[in-house]
Amino acid sequence: MLNLHQISKAFPGVRALRDVSFEVQAGEVHALCGENGAGKSTLLNILTGNLPPDTGRIEFRGKTVQFGGPAEATRLGIAIVYQQLSLVDSLSVAENIFANRQPRNRWGLIRQRALYDQTSSLLTELNIAQIQPDTWVGELSAGQKQMVEIAKALSQKPDLLLLDEPTASLTEREIRTLFELIRQLKTAGKAVVYISHRLSEIFSIADRVSVLKDGTYQGTLPVHETSADELVRRMVGRNVLLERTVSKARPEVVLAVEKLSGQRFSNVSFELHRGEILGLAGLVGAGRTELARAIFGIDGRTSGAVRLHGKPLKIRHPADAIRVGVGYLPEERKVLGLFPEQTVTQNVVVTQPSLTPAGWLDATASAARAESFRQRLDIRTPSVQTAVGTLSGGNQQKVLLARWLLTNPEVLIVDEPTHGIDVGAKADIYALLRQLAAEGKAILLISSELPELLLLADRILVMREGHLTGELPGESATEQQVMQLAMVD
């Protein structure tokens, strides 16, 4: 189906791809893995006509092709689901799926009834009929939006489907639906290129896996003949050990939440101790993020209290939380955390800018502080004056962590801290969270990845439908126990 011959691509100061060659067969799910910044997204942009390769040749269905742009790649039978959604919230599901391809009458006007019927048939065929064609996309959950994005790609009836981290926002049920769709494409002789940092998904759905490291091809392996350890070694050039460490939790209670209620959660109480990593588990929509936002002062609360060292906190705004020593790393770093067009320095010091005696911004001192964190956290960037939006996901997350470390918080809430991050950067962030706990910081860790919670958390609280349903010791908890508390009444 697809044959890549020595594809190379360079940007100013960066060699994104270097002589990459591999093939994707018809009727195959071909996984592509590598660290953030390994060149995966650049390769996908070349395959969809968004970028031309500097050198190399692409064969698609046996013919050499040169894409003049995304429309030509679509016409030839290539579709993509990007990690960052391309939907318009103010349009309906149907208008998004068939954007610029709506059925029209002889006067060029859109046939609305035909558009909705066509969309309804597609959604039923894809087993996501619970999403209505006339619903505004802005009213959908993150997982539903992702399924609409997938439906949009499949509506083009592609021969080659490219999926970039497609399950990042999906529930377990939606993941099962997606995997069934992928298996149907395989049976029909289509090809799928599947990018994921979740190695368990690669072993579940892929036939073969190709590995990139620093823009170079590291080989293609049949999934049934390799292991997670082998893939990690090829991706990062070293063995990454992810194992539990001794708890650093101390008896002192730093943060106490007492019968707190707010948007999508009710009557939540827990204590967070000095040096503790307290995990918060639950399905998408369980109320975990809403609880964190209320503690940090982004959203209001209807009742209950929050105490720091036994003293009631009146946090009505995030600035109040920062002032008393509470930090919050949000779930969506690109939308809610970072200023992508600003530099690394500006993103790091935004909450604690360096000022001259006269009160002006001290650019030199700010850059020096950012540089110290660049070195401490191994943020891979040409310089601290580089726009943060050009960095890989793992390095963007480190920049966001640097911002909060600069404020020296006593309590740090981290919401999905390794979302969309490769295994090497994930290990770095795990080590950093453990180091912060060892220094006496109190950490509330919200994560949808159960292996992550079982690896890091001293205790695990489980939420379901806005309520706490149980507590488990981190060192002995199992995924089955967590899921039972998250799903069963």
Side-chain angles (χ1 to χ4, degrees):
M1 182 70 75
L2 177 72
N3 211 327
L4 305 179
H5 299 273
Q6 296 188 306
I7 301 296
S8 294
K9 183 67 180 179
F11 301 101
V14 179
R15 185 79 166 179
L17 294 171
R18 187 191 306 271
D19 297 329
V20 172
S21 301
F22 64 88
E23 65 178 25
V24 179
Q25 299 169 356
E28 174 185 41
V29 178
H30 195 111
L32 185 62
C33 64
E35 291 186 277
N36 292 109
K40 305 185 300 296
S41 295
T42 299
L43 188 59
L44 291 193
N45 276 309
I46 288 174
L47 292 177
T48 52
N50 287 306
L51 290 173
D54 294 338
T55 59
R57 181 165 54 89
I58 301 172
E59 288 183 13
F60 184 57
R61 293 187 298 199
K63 297 180 180 179
T64 298
V65 294
Q66 290 181 326
F67 302 124
E72 186 172 352
T74 299
R75 181 179 60 80
L76 289 174
I78 299 175
I80 185 169
V81 176
Y82 289 105
Q83 186 175 355
Q84 300 299 319
L85 301 183
S86 61
L87 304 178
V88 180
D89 282 350
S90 57
L91 295 180
S92 70
V93 169
E95 289 166 332
N96 271 278
I97 289 176
F98 291 99
N100 207 33
R101 297 181 293 121
Q102 305 95 329
R104 297 176 184 271
N105 61 24
R106 59 182 176 175
W107 296 286
L109 300 176
I110 296 173
R111 297 163 53 209
Q112 293 289 346
R113 185 69 266 156
L115 172 64
Y116 289 132
D117 288 347
Q118 201 169 323
T119 304
S120 181
S121 296
L122 174 67
L123 296 175
T124 300
E125 180 185 342
L126 301 181
N127 198 27
I128 48 175
Q130 67 273 17
I131 301 175
Q132 299 301 311
D134 57 352
T135 301
W136 299 117
V137 163
E139 297 175 2
L140 301 179
S141 69
Q144 289 174 321
K145 287 182 179 180
Q146 184 72 61
M147 295 305 291
V148 170
E149 189 79 64
I150 292 166
K152 179 179 176 181
L154 292 176
S155 72
Q156 301 165 23
K157 301 192 181 303
D159 289 324
L160 174 63
L161 178 63
L162 312 175
L163 297 172
D164 189 0
E165 296 287 348
T167 63
S169 302
L170 300 186
T171 64
E172 289 297 322
R173 178 182 176 183
E174 290 164 339
I175 291 173
R176 288 195 296 271
T177 299
L178 172 61
F179 281 9
E180 181 55 37
L181 291 174
I182 291 173
R183 293 185 182 104
Q184 291 174 13
L185 292 172
K186 276 184 58 176
T187 302
K190 311 299 184 183
V192 177
V193 173
Y194 190 94
I195 293 179
S196 179
H197 291 308
R198 298 176 177 177
L199 297 184
S200 60
E201 292 182 359
I202 290 175
F203 285 94
S204 173
I205 198 66
D207 300 296
R208 292 191 299 158
V209 53
S210 291
V211 182
L212 295 179
K213 180 181 183 297
D214 298 330
T216 61
Y217 173 66
Q218 302 294 310
T220 297
L221 302 165
V223 165
H224 68 275
E225 293 180 8
T226 188
S227 66
D229 288 342
E230 171 65 13
L231 292 182
V232 169
R233 187 186 62 77
R234 291 186 182 232
M235 280 192 287
V236 304
R238 67 184 191 278
N239 292 322
V240 176
L241 297 177
L242 298 178
E243 54 187 20
R244 285 192 64 88
T245 57
V246 177
S247 172
K248 301 300 190 297
R250 307 169 199 174
E252 178 188 350
V253 175
V254 177
L255 185 78
V257 174
E258 301 170 355
K259 298 183 178 179
L260 199 65
S261 298
Q263 183 181 359
R264 299 184 68 176
F265 67 93
S266 178
N267 199 34
V268 173
S269 299
F270 64 86
E271 293 181 341
L272 177 58
H273 300 84
R274 183 172 296 282
E276 181 181 32
I277 299 179
L278 178 62
L280 191 56
L283 302 178
V284 174
R288 299 168 303 163
T289 293
E290 290 80 3
L291 173 64
R293 288 169 60 93
I295 294 172
F296 191 62
I298 300 173
D299 300 329
R301 56 182 192 244
T302 55
S303 63
V306 178
R307 300 179 186 275
L308 187 68
H309 298 300
K311 297 180 180 179
L313 289 182
K314 294 182 179 179
I315 298 177
R316 298 185 177 89
H317 187 277
D320 299 330
I322 295 169
R323 195 159 36 245
V324 297
V326 179
Y328 174 52
L329 190 148
E331 178 181 12
E332 295 290 341
R333 60 178 173 270
K334 291 187 177 180
V335 178
L336 301 175
L338 297 170
F339 303 96
E341 73 286 352
Q342 300 294 327
T343 66
V344 171
T345 295
Q346 290 167 319
N347 274 274
V348 169
V349 305
V350 64
T351 56
Q352 295 269 314
S354 299
L355 303 176
T356 66
W360 297 96
L361 181 67
D362 190 332
T364 301
S366 294
R369 296 171 90 178
E371 175 63 24
S372 69
F373 280 106
R374 185 194 68 79
Q375 295 179 24
R376 176 182 172 186
L377 304 185
D378 190 26
I379 301 172
R380 298 179 186 179
T381 174
S383 83
V384 292
Q385 301 309 323
T386 300
V388 80
T390 66
L391 304 185
S392 68
N395 287 300
Q396 289 180 354
Q397 196 74 319
K398 289 180 183 180
V399 169
L400 202 50
L401 280 165
R403 175 191 300 169
W404 292 114
L405 295 185
L406 185 60
T407 68
N408 193 29
E410 288 195 77
V411 176
L412 181 60
I413 305 169
V414 289
D415 195 348
E416 304 289 359
T418 61
H419 173 78
I421 287 176
D422 64 80
V423 67
K426 186 177 290 190
D428 292 342
I429 289 175
Y430 288 177
L432 177 61
L433 293 177
R434 286 169 171 152
Q435 178 188 338
L436 293 174
E439 294 172 359
K441 309 297 185 188
I443 298 172
L444 180 62
L445 169 64
I446 301 172
S447 179
S448 298
E449 295 193 31
L450 295 185
E452 183 166 275
L453 290 172
L454 298 178
L455 193 69
L456 292 175
D458 300 306
R459 292 182 295 138
I460 300 173
L461 304 178
V462 185
M463 289 187 71
R464 176 175 47 78
E465 297 178 354
H467 295 84
L468 284 180
T469 56
E471 175 184 321
L472 298 167
E475 62 182 359
S476 60
T478 65
E479 291 190 25
Q480 182 179 357
Q481 288 174 323
V482 175
M483 290 306 297
Q484 188 169 12
L485 287 171
M487 298 178 68
V488 180
D489 289 327

